[in-house]
Structures are given as structure tokens and as C-alpha cells.
Amino acid sequence: MTGPAGDQQDVPVLDVRRMSKVYGEGDTAVHALRDVDLVVRRGEYVAVVGQSGSGKSTLLNILGCLDVPTSGRYLLDGLDVADLDERQQSVLRNRQIGFIFQSFNLIPRTTAFTNVELPMVYAGISRRLRRQRTSAALDLVGLSGRNDHRPNELSGGQQQRVAVARALVTGPALLLADEPTGNLDSASTEDVLGLFDGLHAAGRTIVLITHDHEVAERADRTVTVTDGRLTEQAGARP
Ligand code: ADP
Ligand code: MG
């Protein structure tokens, strides 16, 4: 699946209009997102900050097509996600989005190499190309010496670097990270943020969720979620 014809540079990677998300209904309904507008352009590095329970993960799950909004419109790379069936959404997710989670979400008892290779198996990429790209991605995150290590043989920081390699390997338009440094010590946090800096410099589009303002400062733009409402931090645009 590709975006619409025309100049891809002009199509925002994310274009969210008046998006709301309600969990449940009636008296117990939770308004997790309220009329959220958000446009992210190619190459931007955006931090989403907010307190626990403010709606950050809900937003990220919808942006990543892991969940659907209750109302509003969401274009991913120019495609209206609501127009796609579940299979098309999963293809879009596999090709266009790289996910990085707080708890790494690597497959246990499976080597670093295979963890990184797997998204390409699902994408139907040839074995030879898979091996090349996996090696290059592990090299990029500084883990080429750890190809055969399983997650439990790696430190938290190393596991997250494997997860970054896995997120990158299909060449997605967008990297989505939910509290990627939440389980890391300060040295590993610095490693992972350094990787993100490099990816950003190389033109990747990154949306990173964090409750840590020091982490958010690495991005070139910060938006804040408060009780499901999103506000742009004044003067944060470069
Ligand atoms: P954050 O990531 O900022 O901590 P979340 O997006 O996880 O916030 O949650 C936002 C609000 O939605 C919270 O009140 C949370 O309890 C509620 N919520 C999140 N997921 C669900 C769910 N699956 N069902 C019901 N309520 C949920
Ligand atoms: Mg969360």
C-alpha cells in the first residue's frame, strides 16, 4: 500500500481532526480523548507529555492503528484509516509504523537477530534482503555483537536498542514510542535518546510519549495532554 499520488513531502504523516475516544458508556464512560487536533509533518520529532491517565497511550494506540477513535478523522500518510478494513489496517501498521514500548515487547527465547527480522517476514521480504537489513539495523543501534543473544541475556538498555532496530527495519514512515525510557536507568536512557536524535537527524518522523520533561526536551516540539485535551506548548516550534 502506498500513499496517494502527488508530492509525498506535502502530505502530513499524521493528520488528526477533532478526534475523541470514549471508553464504555453511560455513567461509567471515560472520555479519554476530547476533540484532539494534531498534524505531524515529515521529519518532525514530537514529544507528547502529560500526567498518568491523561490519555497519552490512548492517543498513541489510535495513531498506531491499534485502536479506533469514537469520533473524528485520522489520516495516516494521507490515507483515511476509517476507510480501511482490518487487514488493510494491519498492512498499513506493518509498513508505515515502527512501535517502541516501555517494556520493550521483544519475543522471549528468541534471538535479537530474529526479533529484528520478524516484521520483515510478515512483510514478505526475501530472506537475503531480510538478513542484510537486520544486520544493518543491529549495527546502527550498536548491537551487532549481540545477534545471537536472547532478551534475558541483554540489559534493559540493550533490549530497548533491539526494539528500536526492530521498529526501523521495515523503513516505516513513522516511529511511535510510548514511554521508551520509562524502564531504563539514566545511562541507557541517554543511549536510547541518542539513537532517536540520530534518527531524527536522518529525517525520520518520531512521536514520543513521556511524562519526563527532560526526555521531552530532546524533541523539537512538545504537545501536552491534560484530561484528554491536547495543547501545543507555546514557542516550542523551531
Ligand atoms: P496515559 O497513557 O496518559 O497514562 P491512558 O491513555 O492510558 O493514559 O488512559 C486515559 C484514560 O482512559 C484513563 O482514565 C484510563 O483509566 C482510561 N482507559 C484507558 N484504557 C482504557 C480501557 N481499555 N477501558 C477503559 N478505560 C480506559
Ligand atoms: Mg500510558
Side-chain angles (χ1 to χ4, degrees):
M1 199 175 318
T2 57
D7 188 352
Q8 281 290 316
Q9 296 303 316
D10 289 341
V11 177
V13 176
L14 297 179
D15 189 343
V16 169
R17 305 282 169 178
R18 294 190 65 96
M19 186 165 78
S20 294
K21 177 69 178 181
V22 184
Y23 293 110
E25 45 190 60
D27 289 349
T28 58
V30 176
H31 292 259
L33 294 175
R34 303 167 191 263
D35 284 337
V36 167
D37 291 316
L38 177 65
V39 174
V40 176
R41 304 207 163 270
R42 215 160 297 276
E44 276 194 305
Y45 182 3
V46 180
V48 178
V49 299
Q51 293 184 343
S52 178
S54 57
K56 304 183 299 297
S57 293
T58 299
L59 176 63
L60 190 113
N61 290 341
I62 296 173
L63 297 182
C65 304
L66 297 169
D67 199 358
V68 291
T70 308
S71 61
R73 202 179 66 138
Y74 172 31
L75 304 186
L76 172 58
D77 217 27
L79 285 172
D80 193 331
V81 173
D83 290 342
L84 307 176
D85 64 28
E86 251 175 59
R87 213 196 128 269
Q88 290 171 317
Q89 280 188 23
S90 96
V91 170
L92 186 69
R93 197 160 54 227
N94 189 273
R95 302 225 178 132
Q96 301 283 43
I97 305 171
F99 290 97
I100 299 154
F101 298 99
Q102 177 170 359
S103 50
F104 323 132
N105 292 17
L106 298 177
I107 301 172
R109 293 183 290 281
T110 304
T111 64
F113 194 92
T114 303
N115 265 285
V116 173
E117 188 182 19
L118 221 49
M120 292 185 290
V121 176
Y122 300 136
I125 293 167
S126 78
R127 187 183 166 87
R128 204 172 133 257
L129 197 53
R130 283 194 328 246
R131 307 211 135 234
Q132 279 175 9
R133 288 198 192 163
T134 303
S135 295
L138 281 165
D139 216 22
L140 184 79
V141 301
L143 281 182
S144 42
R146 298 287 191 282
N147 284 358
D148 298 326
H149 289 236
R150 289 167 171 75
N152 66 354
E153 298 165 339
L154 297 168
S155 71
Q158 289 171 334
Q159 289 184 59
Q160 195 60 304
R161 285 192 273 155
V162 172
V164 171
R166 178 182 58 182
L168 285 176
V169 80
T170 52
L174 173 68
L175 286 176
L176 289 179
D178 194 350
E179 303 274 7
T181 61
N183 284 344
L184 301 181
D185 60 28
S186 56
S188 298
T189 293
E190 192 48 47
D191 278 355
V192 168
L193 293 178
L195 280 178
F196 283 16
D197 288 345
L199 295 169
H200 175 47
R204 298 279 185 169
T205 310
I206 305 171
V207 176
L208 174 150
I209 284 185
T210 182
H211 62 265
D212 182 338
H213 284 272
E214 275 182 40
V215 172
E217 273 171 21
R218 302 291 280 259
D220 48 30
R221 181 179 160 203
T222 300
V223 295
T224 305
V225 187
T226 311
D227 282 337
R229 289 189 196 281
L230 196 140
T231 49
E232 189 92 23
Q233 189 163 302
R237 295 301 294 267

